[in-house]
Amino acid sequence: MASDPSTSPSNVGAIEVSLAQGLEHTQDEWEKAAAAVLRKSRKLADDAPDTDVWALLATTTLDGISVAPLGTPTLSAGLPDGGLPGQAPFTRGSTAARELEGWDIRAWFTDPDAERTARDVVTDLENGVNSLWLSVGTGAVPIDALATILEPVFVDLAAIVLDAPGESLAAATALAAVIEDKGVTAAPGTSFGADPIGEALRGTAEPDFDALIEVARLAQRLGVRAITVDATAAHDAGASDAQELAYSLGSGVTYLRILVEAGFSVDEAAALIDFRYAATDEQFPTIAKLRAARRLWNRVAELSGVTTADAGQHQHAVTSRPMMAKYDPYVNMLRTTVAAFAAGVGGAASVTVLPFDEPLGLPEPFGRRIARNTSSLLISESHVAAVSDPAGGAHGVEKLTDDLARAAWALFGEIDETTSLESALDLIGSWIRTTVSERALDVAKRKRPITGVSEFPNLHEELPERRPYARAVEVHRYGGEFEALRDDRAASPVFLASMGPVSAFTARGTFAANLFAAGGIDTVVAGPTEGVADVVTAYDEAGRPAVVALVGNDKAYDAWGADLVTALRDAGATHVIVAGKADLGADADAAAGLDALAFLRATREKLTA
C-alpha cells in the first residue's frame, strides 16, 4: 500500500500540530472563571468586576512583594535578560555544565564524637554524598581529629568545607596539613569557610579579620576558597528573603574590600569567596532567591572590576533550619524534599539536606540516610538536574526573581552606607526583628500553617530521642512559640460539649480539638448527644473540667446553645468557649482567623485558675 505523502517522514515538517489545541484560553476567560468561584465563596461581590480577582488572589511576601496568582507574559515583559547558564549575569546558573552530573550532594557533620563522625563520613561518601561540610572546633568535630576522620577520604575528589566559629585559622591550618600530607590538589569547591561577620551576627565569636587574611593566604597557596558568606546566619535569625540577600551582599563586599586592602587583586579576592543560602519549602521564593543572588553578585563583581568567571557566584544551599519542627519531626522529610527541589531548580552548585531529626539533637544514621537519598532521588529518579534553570522563562518566576533582586539591592544600598560593621549589623538586626514580628503574627493566626505543630498536631506522639548538641546553632524556628506550649503540656483537658449526632459536630469538633492540641491542651469529647441533659451527664462523667467548648452546627446552636451554656456553668464550668461565631453568652469564641497563640495562652490560664 502506498503511504500518504502528507505523513511520510520526508514531509513531517509540513504538518502543523498545536499541542495546546483545544486548550487555549484568554485572560478574560480565566478572570471570569476565577470570579465565579470567588463569588460562590462570597469573597467577591456580585457587582464587582471580574478583574478584581487579581488583587484578591495575589499574595504578598514579607518583603512586601506582590505575587500574582497567574503568570502571564505581561509580568516578564521588559525584564533584564538573564543570559545563558554560565554567562553573565549568571541568573540562569553560574555554570553550564551542571546538568551533566547534577548538583553536589553535601552532607553536614557536627558530632564531637570523632569515631562516630569518622564512620558517618565513610557511610555517606559510600552512599551518594559528594562533599563534606564539617562544623569543627569547640563543641563540634574536634580540629585535632580532622586528620583521622579524613584519612580514608580522597580529598582530591570530595570537597571539604569547614565551619569553625572563632577558630577558622586553626581549622584551616589543620585541613591544609591533611591536603598537603596526601600530596594532592584539593577538590574543586573545597573551602576553609571563614566567616567572621556571620559569627558576629550569630554572636558566636568576635570578628577577627587578621585571622581571615591569614586564612585567605593559606587558601590561595592551596588553590581553595577561604571564605563562606553564610547568609543562613541572617535566615536563622528570622530574616526575609530580600534581607538574607542584602546581608550576603554586604558581607561579600566587606570581604572583597578587606582582601584587596591586604594586597590581593580583586579577581583573586573574588576567587576566594563562596556563598551559603537557606532553601525553604516555599519553593518559588527559594528558586527566585538563588537566581537573584547570582544576578546581584555579578553586579557587585562588575562594579568592583572582577574580570574572571568568579563573577559567577558559587552557591551552597542548605535546607532551612527555621522551617523545621521538633514535633511531628517526620514531616520535616517532606519540608526538606521540597526545599531541596527548589535549591536544585534554583541552580545551587551544592545542596545540603539537613536530617529530619536535626531539631531534636544530633542526627542518627536513619535521618542521615534519608537526607542524602533525598538529593539522589531528585537527581537520578526525578531528573530535576537534567535541565539547566528549568524555571527560567516562567513569567511568575522571572518576575519574582527581578522583584527580589531589586528589593535586596535597595536594602544593600542602606547597608553599604553604614559607617561600621557594628552599625551595619544593628541595621540588619532591626530589619530582622520587624520581620520576625510580622511572621510570628501570621503563624499565630495560622495564615502560615505549620503542619504537625499549629495544624493537625499529634498531642500524644512520642518523640525520638537524640543526643544533645554540644554546640547548638541559635535558630528562630517559625513554630517555636507553639512548640513552647507543647513543651509545657497543660495538666487539665478541655471538655468538648458536642451537640447532636456525630455528623452535626464533627467539623467544629475536629477544628477545636486540633486547635487545643496545638497549644498542648488535651480534650475530652461528650460524644453524640440529644440535648442539654446528655451533655451535662457526659460533663459530670468527665470530672467537670474548668473549661468547656461547645461544638455543634448552627442549627443546634440556635436551638439549645444558650441553654447549654447556662447549664454547664451551673454544673461547674468556669470558662465557656464556642467553636465558631455565635452569640450564646459564652466567654470566648474560637473561629478561623483568630490569634491562636493568644487564645491558647488565655485558655491555659483559665485551666489553672
Side-chain angles (χ1 to χ4, degrees):
M1 176 184 289
S3 62
D4 183 344
S6 65
T7 59
S8 63
S10 61
N11 288 282
V12 167
I15 301 175
E16 294 186 6
V17 177
S18 172
L19 296 179
Q21 187 173 354
L23 301 177
E24 301 95 334
H25 294 284
T26 66
Q27 184 168 306
D28 289 343
E29 289 177 310
W30 177 82
E31 291 171 355
K32 183 177 180 180
V37 174
L38 291 175
R39 289 191 179 101
K40 286 181 180 179
S41 59
R42 299 181 181 177
K43 294 180 180 179
L44 182 67
D46 290 340
D47 58 351
D50 291 349
T51 52
D52 283 1
V53 299
W54 292 96
L56 287 171
L57 295 176
T59 57
T60 302
T61 71
L62 289 168
D63 293 306
I65 296 171
S66 179
V67 181
L70 184 69
T72 63
T74 55
L75 287 178
S76 58
L79 295 182
D81 183 8
L84 296 173
Q87 297 180 14
F90 303 104
T91 305
R92 305 203 64 191
S94 295
T95 175
R98 200 194 68 160
E99 68 270 17
L100 299 177
E101 53 195 25
W103 55 82
D104 167 51
I105 302 174
R106 181 168 295 173
W108 174 62
F109 304 85
T110 191
D111 196 333
D113 186 328
E115 290 187 8
R116 283 177 182 257
T117 297
R119 290 197 300 269
D120 289 341
V121 162
V122 171
T123 299
D124 279 358
L125 288 174
E126 289 179 345
N127 291 278
V129 164
N130 308 123
S131 65
L132 312 177
W133 171 21
L134 302 173
S135 290
V136 301
T138 305
V141 178
I143 292 176
D144 59 9
L146 277 178
T148 301
I149 292 169
L150 297 178
E151 192 278 329
V153 178
F154 293 96
V155 296
D156 53 334
L157 299 178
I160 312 297
V161 176
L162 299 180
D163 171 21
E167 302 175 80
S168 59
L169 182 55
T173 301
L175 178 56
V178 171
I179 296 170
E180 291 177 326
D181 286 347
K182 289 177 179 285
V184 296
T185 300
T190 298
S191 175
F192 292 148
D195 184 26
I197 297 175
E199 295 165 12
L201 183 63
R202 290 189 188 274
T204 54
E206 290 295 320
D208 185 346
F209 294 118
D210 290 333
L212 177 77
I213 292 169
E214 292 303 310
V215 170
R217 288 175 176 149
L218 180 58
Q220 187 180 44
R221 177 166 65 81
L222 290 178
V224 302
R225 296 182 187 268
I227 298 167
T228 296
V229 175
D230 190 353
T232 68
H235 176 82
D236 288 351
S240 67
D241 290 331
Q243 291 162 0
E244 182 183 351
L245 288 171
Y247 165 77
S248 74
L249 296 179
S251 296
V253 167
T254 300
Y255 290 140
L256 280 179
R257 289 170 176 160
I258 289 171
L259 293 181
V260 169
E261 289 175 4
F264 294 86
S265 72
V266 69
D267 286 334
E268 291 172 335
L272 292 171
I273 301 174
D274 58 19
F275 291 75
R276 181 177 297 130
Y277 294 102
T280 75
D281 51 3
E282 293 188 82
Q283 63 179 20
F284 289 114
T286 293
I287 293 168
K289 178 172 68 177
L290 295 174
R291 299 175 87 247
R294 293 191 295 272
R295 170 179 157 186
L296 290 166
W297 185 244
N298 175 71
R299 181 58 178 152
V300 167
E302 284 181 340
L303 295 174
S304 303
V306 176
T307 60
T308 64
D310 290 295
Q313 188 183 71
H314 189 274
Q315 292 178 337
H316 170 204
V318 54
T319 55
S320 167
R321 284 186 170 92
M323 77 172 179
M324 303 271 267
K326 176 171 70 174
Y327 287 99
D328 212 349
Y330 299 101
V331 177
N332 290 330
M333 296 183 194
L334 308 179
R335 295 185 178 103
T336 55
T337 298
V338 177
F341 169 86
V345 171
S350 303
V351 176
T352 295
V353 176
L354 293 176
F356 78 92
D357 49 354
E358 185 271 344
L360 298 170
L362 290 165
E364 290 291 314
F366 175 65
R368 302 191 64 85
R369 178 167 67 88
I370 297 299
R372 65 176 178 261
N373 283 349
T374 299
S375 275
S376 293
L377 183 149
L378 290 169
I379 293 169
S380 301
E381 296 187 37
S382 298
H383 310 293
V384 173
V387 177
S388 290
D389 191 34
H395 305 300
V397 172
E398 295 291 0
K399 174 61 173 171
L400 185 53
T401 299
D402 186 68
D403 286 343
L404 260 179
R406 293 179 184 277
W409 189 259
L411 294 177
F412 164 60
E414 294 184 41
I415 294 172
D416 205 40
E417 289 176 357
T418 58
T419 56
S420 67
L421 175 60
E422 183 179 5
S423 60
L425 293 180
D426 285 344
L427 176 63
I428 295 165
S430 69
W431 293 341
I432 292 175
R433 286 190 292 275
T434 299
T435 299
V436 167
S437 179
E438 292 176 358
R439 184 191 290 111
L441 184 59
D442 284 348
V443 172
K445 292 185 174 182
R446 302 196 289 184
K447 292 181 179 178
R448 291 176 179 268
I450 302 173
T451 305
V453 179
S454 67
E455 297 277 11
F456 312 112
N458 178 5
L459 187 58
H460 302 286
E461 68 179 314
E462 293 186 10
L463 295 179
E465 293 186 4
R466 296 293 184 264
R467 291 174 297 131
Y469 291 103
R471 184 177 83 196
V473 176
E474 190 70 27
V475 175
H476 182 86
R477 277 209 300 275
Y478 301 150
E481 290 185 274
F482 280 100
E483 290 182 343
L485 295 178
R486 292 279 297 277
D487 290 343
D488 183 23
R489 185 168 164 178
S492 302
V494 168
F495 178 73
L496 296 186
S498 46
M499 302 173 65
V502 172
S503 59
F505 68 78
T506 294
R508 282 177 172 151
T510 301
F511 169 84
N514 279 329
L515 174 60
F516 289 123
I521 304 170
D522 210 344
T523 51
V524 179
V525 187
T529 59
E530 295 183 358
V532 172
D534 287 349
V535 177
V536 172
T537 298
Y539 177 67
D540 289 338
E541 293 173 352
R544 299 185 178 184
V547 178
V548 301
L550 274 64
V551 292
N553 57 25
D554 291 344
K555 183 178 179 181
Y557 284 170
D558 291 340
W560 48 290
D563 292 340
L564 181 57
V565 169
T566 301
L568 287 168
R569 282 189 176 132
D570 291 343
T574 60
H575 188 68
V576 181
I577 300 166
V578 174
K581 289 189 176 293
D583 185 8
L584 303 179
D587 300 298
D589 58 48
L594 88 166
D595 184 330
L597 280 172
F599 170 83
L600 290 167
R601 287 169 179 150
T603 301
R604 289 168 67 98
E605 289 179 3
K606 298 298 182 181
L607 285 169
T608 57

